[in-house]
Amino acid sequence: MENITEPKKRILSGIQPSGALTLGNYVGALRNWVQLQKEDIYECYYMIADLHAITVRQEPAALRKNCMDLLAIFIACGLDPEKEPIFFQSHVPAHTQLGWVLDCNTYMGELSRMTQFKDKSKKHENNINAGLFTYPALMAADILLYQADLVPVGKDQTQHLELARDLAQRFNNAYSDTFKVPEGYIPKVGAKIMSLQEPTQKMSKSDPNENSYILMLVPIDKVVKKIKRAVTDSGSEVKRGEGKEGVENLMSIYSAVTGKTMEDIELEFEGKGYGDFKGAVAEAVAETLKPIQEKHADLIKNKDYLETVYKRGAEMANKTAMKTVSKVYRKVGFIQP
């Protein structure tokens, strides 16, 4: 009998180039993407979402630098652009082409209920623009363009995935089956990394206290100092429990970069104090970030290579995306060129 190979399910992943990435971005996203690529179970597309970045005012030179830094970080973390495309969203015109069609199929009430619009409007009161309001429709276009089966989502992105699903079903009902209805993808491995100073809050580079977060490209000596200054509690035992959120956060970080379980960590530091524990966490994080930083430094100097990567990525993404746009344009009644 002839063997029929099932096509791989497709995953779209993206990050905005809105500044330096934190250790939380690495543990929660990038490292998982690298693992997915190694497993070779899925067909993956990796997008640098520069169109989304401009919903908040950007300084052009800084945006260009952030985009190239992010591209280099993707590769430095272990993504292989020879295997799967890494591309800039703005290099694939189909994103805005489908985005407009979906804008015309998205209701004002749906967009007004988006919690991120409400949050960003408060933070950027002097620039509450139309793009900030409608960008969930563009995000839906990002997903639906590639007929993605799965989308990695955190809690803050669940609303956007639900909108993408609703729009796919709405369009399919109106114009016949066109889009796959995507599902959320929860990585098997991944810890939520919290603030080093406020361990009940997620680690974020927008935190006014710079000791609360670790940036991926910050000098290693600063990484060590930040971990050693991290909030723990008045006790001395390295274990989980009520009131020990700071210790548990450091345990999560240590677990994420070493692969050790929380139980292993409790046993390893049984009878030892926070000084020994913080030193071990700092060393493990430094060992994780140092090779990434060194590879990034080499890559960022090689502009020709990075240009080859993003041009090839855009070419591959365009081929897939334009198949969807052509189908959509035909179905809504546009005359084909």
Side-chain angles (χ1 to χ4, degrees):
M1 285 181 67
E2 184 183 349
N3 278 336
I4 300 174
T5 306
E6 283 282 320
K8 290 180 183 177
K9 287 193 172 182
R10 189 175 288 166
I11 292 181
L12 174 76
S13 300
I15 295 181
Q16 281 194 45
S18 53
L21 298 186
T22 68
L23 180 65
N25 296 127
Y26 172 69
V27 169
L30 286 167
R31 193 184 58 168
N32 292 321
W33 298 0
V34 174
Q35 187 58 39
L36 279 175
Q37 195 174 65
K38 285 178 182 174
E39 291 171 0
D40 198 29
I41 299 170
Y42 302 103
E43 180 186 1
C44 300
Y45 286 71
Y46 301 108
M47 178 180 74
I48 294 166
D50 52 352
L51 293 176
H52 287 296
I54 66 168
T55 57
V56 174
R57 191 80 66 215
Q58 301 285 335
E59 201 282 307
L63 179 59
R64 282 190 286 271
K65 180 183 183 303
N66 289 341
C67 284
M68 294 301 284
D69 267 337
L70 192 51
L71 176 62
I73 286 174
F74 279 12
I75 302 166
C77 286
L79 288 178
D80 184 353
E82 294 295 316
K83 289 184 177 178
E84 286 157 330
I86 303 173
F87 61 97
F88 294 119
Q89 184 187 20
S90 63
H91 289 186
V92 183
H95 286 266
T96 48
Q97 290 175 294
L98 181 59
W100 174 247
V101 175
L102 294 186
D103 270 344
C104 297
N105 285 273
T106 308
Y107 304 135
M108 295 285 285
E110 290 172 315
L111 296 173
S112 64
R113 286 192 292 273
M114 290 287 165
T115 54
Q116 285 202 359
F117 170 69
K118 294 172 186 174
D119 293 342
K120 286 193 175 183
S121 296
K122 288 175 186 172
K123 290 179 185 174
H124 305 280
E125 291 181 351
N126 62 338
N127 185 28
I128 304 175
N129 57 73
L132 192 64
F133 187 66
T134 64
Y135 86 93
L138 178 59
M139 192 176 287
D142 300 334
I143 297 165
L144 301 181
L145 263 181
Y146 299 96
Q147 303 292 350
D149 298 278
L150 301 165
V151 185
V153 285
K155 281 186 180 177
D156 57 344
Q157 296 295 335
T158 304
Q159 266 193 318
H160 293 109
L161 177 61
E162 284 306 312
L163 180 64
R165 288 171 55 81
D166 289 345
L167 290 177
Q169 290 165 337
R170 185 175 302 156
F171 193 94
N172 289 349
N173 290 338
Y175 297 102
S176 78
D177 280 354
T178 308
F179 298 118
K180 281 187 181 176
V181 180
E183 300 286 341
Y185 174 78
I186 308 299
K188 296 175 191 173
V189 182
K192 189 175 182 182
I193 304 302
M194 312 302 281
S195 161
L196 297 178
Q197 297 298 315
E198 294 286 345
T200 57
Q201 297 176 16
K202 189 177 176 182
M203 183 180 283
S204 169
K205 63 180 178 290
S206 61
D207 195 309
N209 184 348
E210 67 169 27
N211 286 318
S212 69
Y213 55 83
I214 295 170
L215 298 178
M216 288 187 67
L217 299 181
V218 77
I220 295 298
D221 61 330
K222 287 191 176 181
V223 171
V224 172
K225 284 178 185 174
K226 287 187 179 192
I227 290 173
K228 290 187 175 179
R229 289 175 184 156
V231 166
T232 48
D233 59 74
S234 57
S236 60
E237 292 181 295
V238 179
K239 66 178 185 179
R240 294 159 291 174
E242 191 174 340
K244 297 184 77 72
E245 291 86 357
V247 175
E248 190 166 341
N249 185 40
L250 290 176
M251 289 174 68
S252 294
I253 292 171
Y254 191 58
S255 171
V257 298
T258 64
K260 296 177 181 179
T261 67
M262 300 295 259
E263 291 77 12
D264 290 339
I265 296 166
E266 288 176 340
L267 283 171
E268 182 181 347
F269 293 97
E270 192 172 358
K272 296 180 182 178
Y274 290 158
D276 289 335
F277 175 52
K278 285 183 175 181
V281 177
E283 185 180 344
V285 172
E287 286 177 3
T288 298
L289 293 182
K290 190 176 180 184
I292 294 172
Q293 292 183 2
E294 289 171 349
K295 184 76 184 291
H296 172 272
D298 288 339
L299 285 165
I300 208 69
K301 294 174 195 168
N302 195 342
K303 303 293 185 193
D304 290 344
Y305 170 69
L306 292 177
E307 184 177 341
T308 301
V309 168
Y310 68 67
K311 284 187 173 178
R312 178 179 177 275
E315 186 179 341
M316 292 172 70
N318 262 308
K319 281 181 184 176
T320 302
M322 282 311 298
K323 287 177 186 174
T324 301
V325 165
S326 295
K327 190 186 294 185
V328 167
Y329 272 26
R330 186 175 69 253
K331 288 193 176 187
V332 298
F334 294 154
I335 293 172
Q336 299 299 292

